[in-house]
Amino acid sequence: MSETTTPDAGPSAGPDSQLVESRLRQLLDEHPPATSEAPEFWGAQFDLGLAWVDFPEGLGGLGLSPKLRELVDRRLREADAPMWNKRLNVIGIGMGAGTIMAHGTDEQKQRYLRPMFTTEEIWCQLFSEPGAGSDLAGLSTTAVKEGDEWVVNGQKVWTTLAHLSKWGLLVTRTDADVPKHKGLTYFIVDMEADGVDVRPLYQITGEAEFNEVYFTDVHIPDSLRLDEVGAGWSVAMTTLMNERVAIGAATVPRGSGAIGLAVRTWKEHGSADPVARDELARLWAEAEAARLTVMRASENREAGTPGPEGSTAKLAWADLNKEITAYAVELMGHEGTLMPGGYEFTRTDVDPHTGPGVEAASGASPQRAFLRARANSIEGGTSEIMKNILGERVLGLPGEPRVDKDVPWKDVPRS
């Protein structure tokens, strides 16, 4: 179980890799990507232990090193297999799975992981509030115990895909008499339950992938609590560490994503300009260096919840993505100031059979990509928070003064 793999590792790299390669051949033979429906393929992938290879057998994994996730992804890309479930259900697969695995009960793991991976059930994350964004521990949505249930009241904001979600990852305040980090409890909430009100928030792209969510006397069974009462901060940190990896540290093919969009734009608008060519070469080199750094971090990951390396990748990716999309729009001249097809407000939708999320990523206009990239340094923790994490947890620098750290939450001044 301790073998080392490389990006070119093949069937002879070791017994663990050989097992993964064998399961991959079985998956692709029994469910050819060209003729299989995507949800059926993902179900078979889960059942063969190739969803998250480091998870236990029977829960989408094979109990192997997380280093082998890259091998699975690479082989599936080479086979042109459907992989857009990770975009359609980015909150669930990218963040919820690791959280449930680390903090959930056996029953919760058995119930939620498979339909999450097949996108039968979409998930959202209910963290940010109007009065608690970067200061997550200051949140005020309450959960009060009544018998075997909890009654939730409050408001969340900037909730991606809440309008399409069956389940939400919810952090609440259950004790206002203790310091803010200690009075939190984490739940899975049914987004179709009575009292849950989801309203769209339109972004500068014209789309409404974000929402605000209101909870009015929403009843949650205690069986949907993740970890102990009062352990919500620890569970939330697990979610956020996985989120930063999902946003900034996902391994992608060379030349894809924003830099692929910039190359296409350069061919159409700027190929005669040597200065534009030199700038493109610089951005491509930076994107490739970031991609290889992410791959190396993935190879070095031993097990369990991701560490602060996710914050490093997320911080670098956010700034670079903004720079690359700005370059692409500038290449277009005046055309870059106009949104193709007009500026119509739309509601984000998902279709597991066709994967519109993938189409949006690969076929997005430079104008839309430029506007969407503005959120990269905010979502999943702002760049300022990422720098704090790196300073304190990676470089070992003194932490910022936190004058309310030991003050009961009810006594902390709030606007």
Side-chain angles (χ1 to χ4, degrees), residues 283-295:
L283 292 171
W284 193 94
E286 290 196 22
E288 182 62 8
R291 191 184 75 88
L292 294 175
T293 300
V294 166
M295 288 183 65

Side-chain angles (χ1 to χ4, degrees), residues 185-201:
T185 302
Y186 199 117
F187 297 95
I188 296 169
V189 59
D190 184 351
M191 295 298 292
E192 298 171 357
D194 292 340
V196 179
D197 182 12
V198 179
R199 305 176 188 177
L201 285 174

Side-chain angles (χ1 to χ4, degrees), residues 216-342:
T216 305
D217 294 331
V218 176
H219 289 245
I220 301 178
D222 190 55
S223 60
L224 294 185
R225 173 169 45 82
L226 282 177
D227 215 312
E228 301 297 324
V229 174
W233 180 253
S234 173
V235 186
M237 289 303 98
T238 299
T239 305
L240 290 174
M241 287 302 176
N242 280 282
E243 179 179 22
R244 286 154 193 166
V245 170
I247 291 177
T251 305
V252 297
R254 174 180 293 172
S256 64
I259 195 62
L261 181 66
V263 170
R264 290 197 299 275
T265 307
W266 175 78
K267 290 178 178 177
E268 296 172 4
H269 296 272
S271 58
D273 184 348
V275 176
R277 179 194 59 205
D278 289 351
E279 179 65 3
L280 178 62
R282 183 187 70 80
L283 292 171
W284 193 94
E286 290 196 22
E288 182 62 8
R291 191 184 75 88
L292 294 175
T293 300
V294 166
M295 288 183 65
R296 183 175 58 189
S298 177
E299 290 288 323
N300 290 334
R301 182 180 166 192
E302 293 296 336
T305 301
E309 70 274 7
S311 299
T312 308
K314 198 265 182 183
L315 176 63
W317 170 81
D319 290 342
L320 185 58
N321 217 29
K322 286 184 177 181
E323 190 175 3
I324 291 173
T325 54
Y327 165 84
V329 167
E330 189 172 339
L331 277 179
M332 300 176 72
H334 293 302
E335 183 182 346
T337 65
L338 303 174
M339 182 72 88

